[in-house]
Amino acid sequence: MKLFIKLLSPLPERKFIMACKQQTVKELRNEIKRRILAITTEPITITLCGYELMDDDNVEDVVEPLAEIGVSILSSTHAAGNTSVKTAKSQQPLVQPQQLVQPQQPIQSKDTETKTVISKKEHGEAPGKPSKKSKLYPAEIAYEQAQSSSDEDGPEVQSLGRENWTQRANTITMEELDGMPEAEFASIKALGCIAYKEIVIGADMTPSASSYRVSQVLKVTNNTIHVRVIRDLKPRQKTSAKKSAAQRRANLLGDDEQALNVELERENIYCLKIIS
């Protein structure tokens, strides 16, 4: 569609012929504005026979081919309206930073003040400071009770305490271990003391059970435990009276190679006893 474009006062008197390919009046106005940017950068409005065209209308519905479209700068009434709005906004008082509303701090009475106490069992006490009794919130009381209950052994296992498990591990005998009830793998705890028999494969590829191995538990995972072997309770054998003190000590405490960290799979444990 061909249209005649005429610039109206106060724009310079110019006339153009334009091929309109736009669908809406808004698109047509933006295209005319783009083409006359060298003449003016002010907002424009387009008219037909003195009437302003609405942006939402389709061009083909309101404009016929070879119609004359007038282009003018927005009227002074619009400009005055915009100016008044800007003036009203500029006259609004600025808010100073000091006038911003500060959040109210809760007032706490010295008589009703309650301090939050971090669990000493989990984090330890501050060095050089004596322990003091403090009030605990209900959630912290439940946490302390859960921690204390998780450290207690089951009814089948008698807790000996960490201070004397070493003495017990060095003095326990095979007869005592045979008389103890067999424990479950799930009852093993880190830093505890256990005795176990391991399934070993002999030179003839025949599986057999080893002697009791008294060990300290270093780490427990789902199906694996890491232990440090302390003693290997082998059956007693007849020896000569000239056996040296070093050999007697080796029978009691085991060789140096046995006092190593061992990674033990759950399926390789034949018999499990918990000492502490």
Side-chain angles (χ1 to χ4, degrees):
M1 177 190 299
K2 292 183 180 180
L3 297 176
F4 295 107
I5 308 300
K6 180 179 180 181
L7 303 185
L8 304 177
S9 178
L11 295 174
E13 295 184 2
R14 300 282 295 274
K15 294 181 179 181
F16 308 95
I17 297 178
M18 175 181 173
C20 176
K21 299 180 181 180
Q22 286 69 33
Q23 300 292 329
T24 64
V25 174
K26 183 177 181 180
E27 294 175 353
L28 175 60
R29 177 172 55 82
N30 291 337
E31 179 62 20
I32 295 174
K33 182 178 179 181
R34 185 184 67 82
R35 297 190 182 190
I36 65 173
L37 281 177
I39 300 175
T40 180
T41 57
E42 296 290 334
I44 64 170
T45 180
I46 56 178
T47 59
L48 177 64
C49 300
Y51 294 94
E52 185 176 351
L53 299 179
M54 307 296 290
D55 288 346
D56 295 336
D57 293 333
N58 290 330
V59 177
E60 295 180 354
D61 295 340
V62 294
V63 179
E64 297 180 354
L66 302 179
E68 184 179 270
I69 302 298
V71 180
S72 61
I73 299 177
L74 283 176
S75 63
S76 59
T77 56
H78 292 154
N82 295 337
T83 305
S84 62
V85 172
K86 293 180 181 180
T87 304
K89 290 183 178 180
S90 63
Q91 291 178 353
Q92 292 180 357
L94 297 177
V95 179
Q96 299 296 331
Q98 293 81 1
Q99 297 176 356
L100 295 176
V101 178
Q102 298 292 337
Q104 255 186 346
Q105 298 294 336
I107 301 176
Q108 202 171 33
S109 175
K110 292 183 179 179
D111 298 333
T112 60
E113 182 179 1
T114 304
K115 297 182 180 180
T116 302
V117 179
I118 300 176
S119 172
K120 297 178 181 178
K121 189 170 188 178
E122 182 71 17
H123 303 280
E125 297 183 359
K129 293 184 178 181
S131 59
K132 297 180 179 179
K133 293 185 179 179
S134 304
K135 295 182 179 179
L136 296 176
Y137 290 112
E140 292 178 334
I141 296 175
Y143 174 79
E144 292 286 343
Q145 292 175 352
Q147 288 294 322
S148 61
S149 62
S150 64
D151 291 340
E152 295 178 0
D153 295 329
E156 298 179 357
V157 181
Q158 182 180 4
S159 176
L160 299 176
R162 295 179 181 174
E163 64 276 1
N164 62 345
W165 72 263
T166 304
Q167 180 181 0
R168 178 63 170 159
N170 290 330
T171 58
I172 195 167
T173 62
M174 295 178 57
E175 290 75 12
E176 290 179 287
L177 292 174
D178 290 335
M180 294 174 61
E182 191 166 348
E184 297 292 336
F185 184 87
S187 60
I188 301 176
K189 294 185 179 181
L191 301 181
C193 184
I194 64 173
Y196 65 91
K197 290 184 178 181
E198 184 180 5
I199 299 176
V200 295
I201 305 298
D204 56 351
M205 303 303 295
T206 302
S208 61
S210 67
S211 57
Y212 280 114
R213 294 172 181 174
V214 182
S215 306
Q216 179 189 12
V217 181
L218 303 178
K219 181 181 179 182
V220 182
T221 58
N222 291 335
N223 295 309
T224 307
I225 58 174
H226 298 259
V227 299
R228 180 179 181 273
V229 179
I230 301 174
R231 295 177 60 199
D232 192 348
L233 299 182
K234 297 180 180 179
R236 295 182 179 180
Q237 298 178 356
K238 293 182 179 181
T239 56
S240 63
K242 296 182 178 180
K243 180 179 289 188
S244 63
Q247 290 176 335
R248 291 195 301 271
R249 183 178 181 276
N251 288 338
L252 179 61
L253 300 179
D255 299 333
D256 293 339
E257 295 181 355
Q258 295 173 349
L260 298 177
N261 296 342
V262 177
E263 182 177 348
L264 187 62
E265 298 290 338
R266 180 176 185 174
E267 58 186 9
N268 293 334
I269 299 178
Y270 173 72
C271 181
L272 176 64
K273 306 295 177 70
I274 294 182
I275 301 175
S276 66

